[in-house]
Amino acid sequence: MTVDAQPAANAAGGVRTPERVLRILIWHVHGSWTTAFVQSGHTCVLPVDAERGPDGRGRARTWDWPPNVVELSTERLRESRPDLVVLQRPHELELAAGALGRALGRDVPAVYVEHNTPRGEVPDTRHPLADRDDIPIVHVTHFNALFWDCGRAPTRVIEHGVPDPGHLYTGEVPRVGVALNEPLRRWRTTGTDLLPTLAEHVPLDLFGMAVRRVPDHLGLDPSRLRAHEDPPQSAMHRLLARRRAYVHPLRWTSLGLSLIEAMMLGLPVAALGATEAYEAVPPQAGVVSTDPRVLAEALRAYLDDPGLALRTGAAAREAALRRYGLDRFLDEWERVLQEVTS
């Protein structure tokens, strides 16, 4: 594809046709978030290299992205002449400036999307852009905005938006779904160490990237933990929707989009009470607690009572659609994009 490709009107797929179409340079970092962002209809230019490594992944392989998402080789980025650069990792400041030959925030507008909770001396961790006032920081949760020290950088919060996968829930499989990426490497961050305790009470099905070795590593046989290695998003949605409930054991991520997707599918959820979970899951939609035993008890109740699971999952779907619907997300981002580039 070329950088001049234009967005196609696609009402059925939800892709918008903005009045002023922007060319946006953005790296493929977080697939689920990008899936929502590219529905804006702006031409999103994704760098690609031969290895399709972290700085050149190009288009997604396991998500269905619209034609306004175009690839451009990393060697040709200077030709792209973007109206805006969307940054998501600290090193992209130098990466983009070097590739474009232009100073970000001065020669080309930029925004920085902060997906992550702070590392280091929390809550005193200073943001990499804290000493600049020319690049706004857009946090994906209020928790992030509260815990990062952003100094004099302009900040705002645009909460996640998730394309509705549909109310696919059947709950016919009396097991609990969980989605984690790289759970062995990220370990305590993703709450991987909590899985054996949960598996003592309920059987688990683990979905995500680099999950194949997890059952053996934890010493759990398939009756307690089964791994499903990186299925395409649509397939994972169908598989998750057959599970009776969903558990979210992550300790220190801003808000896993898999939790919101599970709620939109209609699953009842049990979430570790960390970061933004209390905001995302109201009482009628599931259970939030810092005690893994409480989560295990709730999951056991859903497995034993399909009617309870069905009612709770319906409430979870309603709550997720109300707070994390795609239209609100795209409306808020459109205002930021037009403000920053005007």
Side-chain angles (χ1 to χ4, degrees):
M1 292 187 177
T2 68
V3 73
D4 298 320
Q6 293 297 312
N10 183 0
V15 179
R16 297 186 172 191
T17 306
E19 291 185 12
R20 183 166 69 101
V21 177
L22 303 173
R23 285 194 305 278
I24 300 173
L25 176 62
I26 180 172
W27 275 264
H28 174 187
V29 177
H30 295 281
S32 290
W33 182 88
T34 309
T35 297
F37 183 80
V38 299
Q39 306 304 314
S40 65
H42 296 289
T43 301
C44 295
V45 181
L46 272 65
V48 64
D49 58 30
E51 294 77 25
R52 291 190 176 265
D55 294 332
R57 287 195 178 106
R59 285 177 59 95
R61 299 293 183 87
T62 57
W63 282 270
D64 183 15
W65 285 354
N68 56 295
V69 184
V70 300
E71 294 182 344
L72 190 67
S73 68
T74 53
E75 296 83 5
R76 295 179 56 205
L77 288 181
R78 191 163 296 202
E79 304 172 17
S80 64
R81 305 296 297 177
D83 300 301
L84 173 74
V85 180
V86 172
L87 305 163
Q88 301 172 79
R89 298 167 295 175
H91 77 276
E92 289 178 3
L93 283 161
E94 292 187 13
L95 189 64
L100 297 174
R102 303 165 73 189
L104 271 64
R106 186 188 69 195
D107 299 332
V108 57
V111 298
Y112 189 106
V113 182
E114 186 49 77
H115 295 281
N116 300 315
T117 46
R119 301 291 192 265
E121 297 296 324
V122 180
D124 298 320
T125 312
R126 197 157 172 84
H127 197 277
L129 271 67
D131 296 321
R132 301 182 61 155
D133 60 7
D134 56 346
I135 299 179
I137 300 171
V138 180
H139 295 280
V140 299
T141 67
H142 291 280
F143 183 93
N144 279 11
L146 182 67
F147 273 74
W148 275 107
D149 175 3
C150 289
R152 64 193 183 100
T155 63
R156 66 188 301 166
V157 176
I158 298 181
E159 293 190 315
H160 288 303
V162 177
D164 180 11
H167 195 174
L168 305 181
Y169 180 72
T170 66
E172 64 199 84
V173 178
R175 296 176 69 93
V176 173
V178 56
L180 304 172
N181 284 329
E182 299 186 86
L184 293 180
R185 181 182 67 84
R186 298 168 69 197
W187 197 246
R188 285 180 58 83
T189 296
T190 52
T192 311
D193 60 304
L194 303 177
L195 297 183
T197 298
L198 295 170
E200 290 177 7
H201 300 271
V202 293
L204 302 174
D205 278 336
L206 173 62
F207 300 85
M209 297 169 57
V211 301
R212 188 175 290 111
R213 293 176 46 241
V214 174
D216 287 343
H217 186 89
L218 297 177
L220 297 173
D221 66 50
S223 68
R224 307 318 302 168
L225 178 64
R226 297 189 303 211
H228 304 261
E229 181 66 35
D230 199 21
Q233 188 187 43
S234 59
M236 187 175 76
H237 286 163
R238 292 192 298 272
L239 290 167
L240 271 180
R242 298 181 62 218
R243 273 63 195 169
R244 186 70 50 82
Y246 184 83
V247 65
H248 191 71
L250 290 87
R251 274 192 183 89
W252 195 243
T253 60
S254 56
L255 181 61
L257 282 170
S258 59
L259 172 64
I260 301 172
E261 291 172 356
M263 293 170 68
M264 284 190 177
L265 288 167
L267 281 91
V269 298
L272 197 67
T275 65
E276 193 83 356
Y278 282 103
E279 291 289 329
V281 184
Q284 68 273 20
V287 173
V288 181
S289 176
T290 55
D291 186 345
R293 294 171 300 180
V294 173
L295 304 184
E297 291 170 2
L299 294 168
R300 186 72 255 172
Y302 297 141
L303 260 62
D304 292 342
D305 188 343
L308 172 65
L310 184 66
R311 294 190 299 273
T312 307
R317 173 172 166 78
E318 181 181 352
L321 289 172
R322 183 170 56 250
R323 182 156 188 167
Y324 300 107
L326 190 60
D327 283 343
R328 186 271 313 157
F329 173 84
L330 293 175
D331 287 345
E332 292 184 19
W333 264 109
E334 186 64 20
R335 285 193 289 272
V336 169
L337 297 176
Q338 299 301 337
E339 287 171 10
V340 172
T341 59
S342 63

